[in-house]
Amino acid sequence: PGSWYANIEAAIIARARESQVNATPAASFAGQLVKIVAEGQSPAVVRIGKMSTFLPLLKRWAPTTLVDRIFSKKFKLNQLEE
């Protein structure tokens, strides 16, 4: 009560947990990363894990207003009261 975000508390918690839904297991992630780093010349950007390529592509190619609208609706930011 009294918080601007009280009516979307469940959505905030859901967003915080989103990255763990169908997440790449830590051991798998670490093994892939160690292999890349051990090769020597590591790339500046390493994409490991589920959605690690899709979301940056979405950000790059989709209009910002569209991406904002999608995520605002998904995480109920459109329900914030002014």
Side-chain angles (χ1 to χ4, degrees):
S3 170
W4 292 352
Y5 308 101
N7 64 324
I8 63 164
E9 178 182 6
I12 293 169
I13 293 168
R15 170 58 188 97
R17 294 179 177 156
E18 181 72 18
S19 65
Q20 297 307 305
V21 175
N22 295 318
T24 302
S28 173
F29 180 90
Q32 292 176 56
L33 183 60
V34 167
K35 181 179 175 187
I36 291 168
V37 171
E39 289 176 352
Q41 292 284 5
S42 301
V45 175
V46 175
R47 302 224 187 270
I48 302 171
K50 298 173 176 134
M51 305 297 280
S52 65
T53 301
F54 174 73
L55 292 175
L57 284 175
L58 180 66
K59 172 76 173 135
R60 181 175 182 138
W61 297 109
T64 301
T65 53
L66 176 62
V67 174
D68 285 350
R69 194 174 323 126
I70 290 168
F71 286 110
S72 289
K73 186 175 181 181
K74 178 175 175 124
F75 297 111
K76 303 193 184 327
L77 296 178
N78 58 344
Q79 294 180 13
L80 283 174
E81 296 178 7
E82 292 190 29

